[in-house]
mmCIF file of all heavy atoms in Angstrom:
data_model
loop_
_atom_site.group_PDB
_atom_site.id
_atom_site.type_symbol
_atom_site.label_atom_id
_atom_site.label_comp_id
_atom_site.label_asym_id
_atom_site.label_seq_id
_atom_site.Cartn_x
_atom_site.Cartn_y
_atom_site.Cartn_z
ATOM 1 N N THR A 73 -8.653 -8.586 -6.172
ATOM 2 C CA THR A 73 -7.945 -8.118 -4.984
ATOM 3 C C THR A 73 -8.886 -7.276 -4.130
ATOM 4 O O THR A 73 -9.962 -6.882 -4.575
ATOM 5 C CB THR A 73 -6.710 -7.259 -5.357
ATOM 6 O OG1 THR A 73 -7.141 -6.139 -6.125
ATOM 7 C CG2 THR A 73 -5.696 -8.055 -6.156
ATOM 8 N N VAL A 74 -8.429 -7.007 -2.915
ATOM 9 C CA VAL A 74 -9.144 -6.084 -2.030
ATOM 10 C C VAL A 74 -8.109 -5.105 -1.489
ATOM 11 O O VAL A 74 -7.135 -5.507 -0.857
ATOM 12 C CB VAL A 74 -9.841 -6.815 -0.864
ATOM 13 C CG1 VAL A 74 -10.541 -5.812 0.048
ATOM 14 C CG2 VAL A 74 -10.822 -7.857 -1.392
ATOM 15 N N LEU A 75 -8.315 -3.827 -1.765
ATOM 16 C CA LEU A 75 -7.442 -2.765 -1.275
ATOM 17 C C LEU A 75 -8.058 -2.197 -0.010
ATOM 18 O O LEU A 75 -9.257 -1.910 0.018
ATOM 19 C CB LEU A 75 -7.303 -1.663 -2.327
ATOM 20 C CG LEU A 75 -6.494 -0.435 -1.929
ATOM 21 C CD1 LEU A 75 -5.025 -0.800 -1.695
ATOM 22 C CD2 LEU A 75 -6.613 0.648 -3.004
ATOM 23 N N GLY A 76 -7.257 -2.067 1.042
ATOM 24 C CA GLY A 76 -7.752 -1.521 2.296
ATOM 25 C C GLY A 76 -6.906 -0.355 2.774
ATOM 26 O O GLY A 76 -5.706 -0.303 2.511
ATOM 27 N N LEU A 77 -7.539 0.570 3.456
ATOM 28 C CA LEU A 77 -6.853 1.722 4.035
ATOM 29 C C LEU A 77 -7.402 1.922 5.435
ATOM 30 O O LEU A 77 -8.616 1.899 5.646
ATOM 31 C CB LEU A 77 -7.100 2.975 3.187
ATOM 32 C CG LEU A 77 -6.357 4.235 3.588
ATOM 33 C CD1 LEU A 77 -4.857 4.088 3.304
ATOM 34 C CD2 LEU A 77 -6.900 5.440 2.837
ATOM 35 N N SER A 78 -6.503 2.092 6.414
ATOM 36 C CA SER A 78 -6.941 2.294 7.794
ATOM 37 C C SER A 78 -5.870 3.074 8.549
ATOM 38 O O SER A 78 -4.772 3.296 8.049
ATOM 39 C CB SER A 78 -7.197 0.943 8.479
ATOM 40 O OG SER A 78 -6.002 0.177 8.528
ATOM 41 N N MET A 79 -6.225 3.472 9.751
ATOM 42 C CA MET A 79 -5.278 4.099 10.667
ATOM 43 C C MET A 79 -4.961 3.104 11.765
ATOM 44 O O MET A 79 -5.850 2.430 12.280
ATOM 45 C CB MET A 79 -5.877 5.362 11.296
ATOM 46 C CG MET A 79 -6.038 6.532 10.364
ATOM 47 S SD MET A 79 -4.494 7.183 9.680
ATOM 48 C CE MET A 79 -3.610 7.716 11.135
ATOM 49 N N ARG A 80 -3.686 2.995 12.085
ATOM 50 C CA ARG A 80 -3.232 2.158 13.214
ATOM 51 C C ARG A 80 -2.358 3.063 14.060
ATOM 52 O O ARG A 80 -1.196 3.252 13.735
ATOM 53 C CB ARG A 80 -2.477 0.946 12.708
ATOM 54 C CG ARG A 80 -3.387 -0.041 11.989
ATOM 55 C CD ARG A 80 -2.627 -1.220 11.497
ATOM 56 N NE ARG A 80 -2.274 -2.085 12.605
ATOM 57 C CZ ARG A 80 -2.673 -3.340 12.717
ATOM 58 N NH1 ARG A 80 -3.437 -3.860 11.794
ATOM 59 N NH2 ARG A 80 -2.286 -4.073 13.718
ATOM 60 N N GLY A 81 -2.946 3.613 15.093
ATOM 61 C CA GLY A 81 -2.216 4.582 15.906
ATOM 62 C C GLY A 81 -1.886 5.798 15.064
ATOM 63 O O GLY A 81 -2.764 6.422 14.477
ATOM 64 N N SER A 82 -0.604 6.120 14.957
ATOM 65 C CA SER A 82 -0.184 7.287 14.177
ATOM 66 C C SER A 82 0.281 6.897 12.775
ATOM 67 O O SER A 82 0.984 7.658 12.121
ATOM 68 C CB SER A 82 0.943 8.017 14.913
ATOM 69 O OG SER A 82 2.064 7.160 15.026
ATOM 70 N N HIS A 83 -0.130 5.705 12.306
ATOM 71 C CA HIS A 83 0.288 5.234 10.986
ATOM 72 C C HIS A 83 -0.904 4.968 10.080
ATOM 73 O O HIS A 83 -1.940 4.496 10.537
ATOM 74 C CB HIS A 83 1.105 3.938 11.110
ATOM 75 C CG HIS A 83 2.454 4.169 11.690
ATOM 76 N ND1 HIS A 83 2.671 4.297 13.037
ATOM 77 C CD2 HIS A 83 3.654 4.309 11.094
ATOM 78 C CE1 HIS A 83 3.957 4.506 13.255
ATOM 79 N NE2 HIS A 83 4.575 4.511 12.088
ATOM 80 N N VAL A 84 -0.712 5.267 8.810
ATOM 81 C CA VAL A 84 -1.666 4.887 7.776
ATOM 82 C C VAL A 84 -1.266 3.491 7.322
ATOM 83 O O VAL A 84 -0.102 3.242 7.007
ATOM 84 C CB VAL A 84 -1.599 5.865 6.580
ATOM 85 C CG1 VAL A 84 -2.425 5.336 5.413
ATOM 86 C CG2 VAL A 84 -2.052 7.252 6.993
ATOM 87 N N ARG A 85 -2.223 2.574 7.310
ATOM 88 C CA ARG A 85 -1.958 1.199 6.884
ATOM 89 C C ARG A 85 -2.663 0.942 5.556
ATOM 90 O O ARG A 85 -3.858 1.179 5.421
ATOM 91 C CB ARG A 85 -2.434 0.210 7.929
ATOM 92 C CG ARG A 85 -2.098 -1.248 7.568
ATOM 93 C CD ARG A 85 -2.496 -2.160 8.714
ATOM 94 N NE ARG A 85 -2.288 -3.556 8.427
ATOM 95 C CZ ARG A 85 -1.294 -4.286 8.923
ATOM 96 N NH1 ARG A 85 -0.403 -3.728 9.735
ATOM 97 N NH2 ARG A 85 -1.186 -5.571 8.626
ATOM 98 N N ILE A 86 -1.889 0.451 4.605
ATOM 99 C CA ILE A 86 -2.404 0.063 3.293
ATOM 100 C C ILE A 86 -2.279 -1.448 3.206
ATOM 101 O O ILE A 86 -1.225 -2.006 3.517
ATOM 102 C CB ILE A 86 -1.581 0.728 2.166
ATOM 103 C CG1 ILE A 86 -1.678 2.249 2.274
ATOM 104 C CG2 ILE A 86 -2.037 0.223 0.800
ATOM 105 C CD1 ILE A 86 -0.664 2.982 1.422
ATOM 106 N N GLU A 87 -3.355 -2.105 2.801
ATOM 107 C CA GLU A 87 -3.348 -3.554 2.654
ATOM 108 C C GLU A 87 -3.857 -3.918 1.269
ATOM 109 O O GLU A 87 -4.769 -3.267 0.752
ATOM 110 C CB GLU A 87 -4.259 -4.223 3.688
ATOM 111 C CG GLU A 87 -3.823 -4.030 5.107
ATOM 112 C CD GLU A 87 -4.710 -4.774 6.104
ATOM 113 O OE1 GLU A 87 -5.805 -5.257 5.709
ATOM 114 O OE2 GLU A 87 -4.306 -4.866 7.269
ATOM 115 N N LEU A 88 -3.267 -4.970 0.705
ATOM 116 C CA LEU A 88 -3.768 -5.509 -0.553
ATOM 117 C C LEU A 88 -3.868 -7.021 -0.406
ATOM 118 O O LEU A 88 -2.869 -7.699 -0.188
ATOM 119 C CB LEU A 88 -2.855 -5.144 -1.723
ATOM 120 C CG LEU A 88 -3.422 -5.506 -3.089
ATOM 121 C CD1 LEU A 88 -4.648 -4.646 -3.405
ATOM 122 C CD2 LEU A 88 -2.383 -5.350 -4.175
ATOM 123 N N ARG A 89 -5.093 -7.526 -0.496
ATOM 124 C CA ARG A 89 -5.351 -8.972 -0.392
ATOM 125 C C ARG A 89 -5.481 -9.536 -1.800
ATOM 126 O O ARG A 89 -6.138 -8.953 -2.654
ATOM 127 C CB ARG A 89 -6.636 -9.228 0.380
ATOM 128 C CG ARG A 89 -7.001 -10.719 0.473
ATOM 129 C CD ARG A 89 -8.298 -10.922 1.243
ATOM 130 N NE ARG A 89 -8.203 -10.388 2.589
ATOM 131 C CZ ARG A 89 -7.688 -11.040 3.632
ATOM 132 N NH1 ARG A 89 -7.206 -12.252 3.478
ATOM 133 N NH2 ARG A 89 -7.650 -10.470 4.825
ATOM 134 N N ASP A 90 -4.825 -10.693 -2.016
ATOM 135 C CA ASP A 90 -4.982 -11.408 -3.275
ATOM 136 C C ASP A 90 -5.118 -12.898 -2.972
ATOM 137 O O ASP A 90 -4.790 -13.341 -1.872
ATOM 138 C CB ASP A 90 -3.825 -11.110 -4.242
ATOM 139 C CG ASP A 90 -2.526 -11.783 -3.850
ATOM 140 O OD1 ASP A 90 -2.427 -13.018 -3.984
ATOM 141 O OD2 ASP A 90 -1.592 -11.070 -3.434
ATOM 142 N N PRO A 91 -5.622 -13.690 -3.937
ATOM 143 C CA PRO A 91 -5.941 -15.090 -3.653
ATOM 144 C C PRO A 91 -4.786 -16.086 -3.762
ATOM 145 O O PRO A 91 -5.031 -17.290 -3.711
ATOM 146 C CB PRO A 91 -7.010 -15.399 -4.706
ATOM 147 C CG PRO A 91 -6.646 -14.526 -5.851
ATOM 148 C CD PRO A 91 -6.113 -13.262 -5.231
ATOM 149 N N ASP A 92 -3.546 -15.641 -3.888
ATOM 150 C CA ASP A 92 -2.432 -16.578 -4.051
ATOM 151 C C ASP A 92 -1.494 -16.532 -2.853
ATOM 152 O O ASP A 92 -0.639 -15.652 -2.753
ATOM 153 C CB ASP A 92 -1.659 -16.276 -5.321
ATOM 154 C CG ASP A 92 -0.624 -17.344 -5.651
ATOM 155 O OD1 ASP A 92 -0.312 -18.181 -4.776
ATOM 156 O OD2 ASP A 92 -0.127 -17.345 -6.781
ATOM 157 N N PRO A 93 -1.623 -17.498 -1.925
ATOM 158 C CA PRO A 93 -0.761 -17.481 -0.738
ATOM 159 C C PRO A 93 0.678 -17.923 -1.022
ATOM 160 O O PRO A 93 1.541 -17.814 -0.169
ATOM 161 C CB PRO A 93 -1.450 -18.473 0.206
ATOM 162 C CG PRO A 93 -2.171 -19.417 -0.685
ATOM 163 C CD PRO A 93 -2.581 -18.603 -1.893
#
Side-chain angles (χ1 to χ4, degrees):
T73 59
V74 179
L75 176 65
L77 185 69
S78 62
M79 289 297 298
R80 291 180 74 119
S82 63
H83 289 81
V84 171
R85 184 175 177 105
I86 299 167
E87 296 183 348
L88 188 67
R89 177 180 301 276
D90 73 71
D92 189 346

